[in-house]
Amino acid sequence: MKNKTRVVLNLDAVIVAVTRHHPRILTVSAKQNLPAIPSGPLHREDATLERSLRGWIEEQTGIEVGYVEQLYTFGDIQRGLPGAPNNPRSISVAYLALITEEHPTTSSASWINWYELFPWEDHRNGIPDILTKHLRPALATWAGNNAERNERVITAFGSDNRWDGMRVLERYELLYEAGLVKETSTRDALPESISGVPMAFDHRRIASTALGRMRGKLTYRPVVFELLSDTFTLLTLQRTVEAIAGVPLHKQNFRRLVERTRLVEGTGQRTNSPAGRPAELFRFRSEVLLERPRTGIGVPYR
Amino acid sequence: MKNKTRVVLNLDAVIVAVTRHHPRILTVSAKQNLPAIPSGPLHREDATLERSLRGWIEEQTGIEVGYVEQLYTFGDIQRGLPGAPNNPRSISVAYLALITEEHPTTSSASWINWYELFPWEDHRNGIPDILTKHLRPALATWAGNNAERNERVITAFGSDNRWDGMRVLERYELLYEAGLVKETSTRDALPESISGVPMAFDHRRIASTALGRMRGKLTYRPVVFELLSDTFTLLTLQRTVEAIAGVPLHKQNFRRLVERTRLVEGTGQRTNSPAGRPAELFRFRSEVLLERPRTGIGVPYR
DNA sequence: ACTCCTTATGCTCATAATGAGCACTTTATA
DNA sequence: TATAAAGTGCTCATTATGAGCATAAGGAGT
């Protein structure tokens, strides 16, 4: 073996909760007061990365996370501090962690709405103006008549009737490259109300990876339930899905789907709602873990 | 910062090619002559992990890989050599790399059929006997009347009419845990014709992750084309998909699908087939990169 | 020239899934 | 007793999916 690069390994966690239909992630404050994703070390004693991760999350925040999934490993050189070239290389293994409630925050930690980071991703009330009035024009300017750029813009941002919710990372990276977000700190950067709240380091990239992954997963695995308490109403379920997916859903059809796939079962109980007809409380049928494989390109064998 | 664990980082590559309908991965020979996935270091100079990866792949094998995608980062402690407890921890960032042809192998490298590693994954000629006659019974014995084990077996191995092609890793891990594969080297291990060819370290896990990922990706992104040369017949396309997906496809429906999504376009040319009617040669329409978002759980917005 | 083999294509059909509406019920609170 | 909020039932057009039958087009062999 020749030159082994010296490496420092960190475990980053995008900790997600959905509270009152707002999808939120936990942040701590880093240099220049920018929010950052919490991060911790790999402990020598821990047999697996995930165990270390759970460990420091609980130490630092008191939260015992439920569902955890590895997201991506970031190791680009820009991550290392700009200083001496002999600095060890910084490698981050990023995880997605889901919890069922918004926990009390410690002094240094706070929750931030995912759509404050990515305002253009929230289509629950239709196509956001931010997109049509600001971002797309700005991107068009950036692309000019560079064919490749234009194609990338189209692919990532689609047109109004072709919006792929999963391409969150692609979109953020494009905005980054176009110098439209604060992280690039060019004078082209749009105001935060449009380009979203900047984060420290490349953490907004990590957050966008997480959102994209969640949206993807949603379509073929019942991850929503990791965000809900034991029992919930169907409407809450729907709103939670909408919060992640970023699009409105047709109520009747949603219920039809949920029924058909038999994802949940009713407890007899009902909510005592503040107003309106009380809703029935449901619980997740964990038997469904062997649920329908993804529907997709002509692979039969259901 | 407290105790930073010392870490050695490696980049592993599952290099995939499909030749004459056989999906193959490149292996090198490791200790005890077991096949291993090629692996290389992270070079300090390279700005991204991917660049390092491409670099050593070309150095070691002469192959210039096309499509590359990060798979997973493995860091479980068993990976480290069992020796001194102060050994640095071994971390592997595994990548999936697709190439269009089976390249000439160097002295130490050779290609191995994916289904020699996972014989139970090949359903192209119906449910394999290996599964019904050997694996499922063996798993049933292992599970006994342990409810949790049984549920896991069902989830991973389904029943004959519920087989989720994507759960390759889950299945391998279960077999591993049940001591049925050679890597665990218990006397329970089934013969290689049933349990598949063992690999060094945890490399069969990595390979299974890759297969699962490919099968998943296949259903919503046109990755097949990374495995094909510029022009190809529709039947070749179909056979390639089948090779990865591990299931047979209905020819006419497959063609209908390909047409509808307008993934390919015909060149006027035809093959001079050895027998039978010549097929038209097609090429991939790269314009389709903004192709249909995944179809799935009630997220509209096509 | 004809037959057979092999692969490519065209078309039909039943069933299921999807996206969108309209209308109406149920229950609690003001 | 209205009103708000939430739940339900049902229809309908469109598209997707899984499966089949039938036919066309070359090439090889007789």
Side-chain angles (χ1 to χ4, degrees), chain B residues 235 251-252 255 275-280 296 298 300 302:
Chain B
L235 190 56
K251 197 199 271 194
Q252 297 92 316
R255 303 170 96 93
R277 171 174 173 181
E280 183 171 3
R302 289 299 160 74

Side-chain angles (χ1 to χ4, degrees), chain A residues 6-183:
Chain A
R6 277 191 56 218
V7 154
V8 170
L9 191 124
N10 279 92
L11 304 172
D12 295 354
V14 181
I15 302 172
V16 181
V18 175
T19 333
R20 278 170 291 111
H21 317 157
H22 298 299
R24 297 203 157 105
I25 72 177
L26 190 66
T27 62
V28 295
S29 129
K31 59 166 188 183
Q32 294 173 310
N33 258 330
L34 287 177
I37 288 168
S39 177
L42 167 63
H43 281 126
R44 168 175 300 118
E45 318 80 59
D46 291 322
T48 68
L49 302 183
E50 195 181 306
R51 187 168 305 281
S52 266
L53 181 88
R54 289 179 186 276
W56 69 250
I57 291 182
E58 180 154 9
E59 276 172 35
Q60 281 186 32
T61 68
I63 297 175
E64 254 190 80
V65 293
Y67 181 87
V68 164
E69 145 182 354
Q70 192 184 296
L71 259 188
Y72 199 80
T73 297
F74 297 86
D76 287 7
I77 207 131
Q78 45 157 8
R79 292 189 57 88
L81 304 174
N86 252 344
N87 268 347
R89 181 114 169 201
S90 167
I91 302 278
S92 288
V93 184
Y95 282 80
L96 171 66
L98 307 183
I99 63 177
T100 61
E101 317 165 46
E102 181 174 358
H103 284 252
T105 58
T106 63
S107 51
S108 57
S110 61
W111 293 90
I112 183 169
N113 189 313
W114 226 330
Y115 295 125
E116 284 178 45
L117 298 170
F118 311 108
W120 56 88
E121 295 290 347
D122 188 357
H123 292 214
R124 284 176 292 179
N125 301 305
I127 318 276
D129 280 355
I130 292 173
L131 199 52
T132 47
K133 296 208 181 135
H134 302 281
L135 292 183
R136 275 210 264 256
L139 284 164
T141 306
W142 170 74
N145 41 20
N146 178 321
E148 195 229 333
R149 284 186 176 182
N150 273 297
E151 197 192 317
R152 288 176 58 206
V153 170
I154 290 288
T155 309
F157 285 85
S159 45
D160 278 354
N161 48 355
R162 284 182 82 82
W163 175 263
D164 185 340
M166 269 143 281
R167 298 182 188 261
V168 188
L169 175 62
E170 255 174 278
R171 284 188 281 270
Y172 174 72
E173 285 193 328
L174 216 49
L175 294 175
Y176 183 97
E177 215 178 311
L180 298 174
V181 295
K182 280 280 164 57
E183 279 92 339

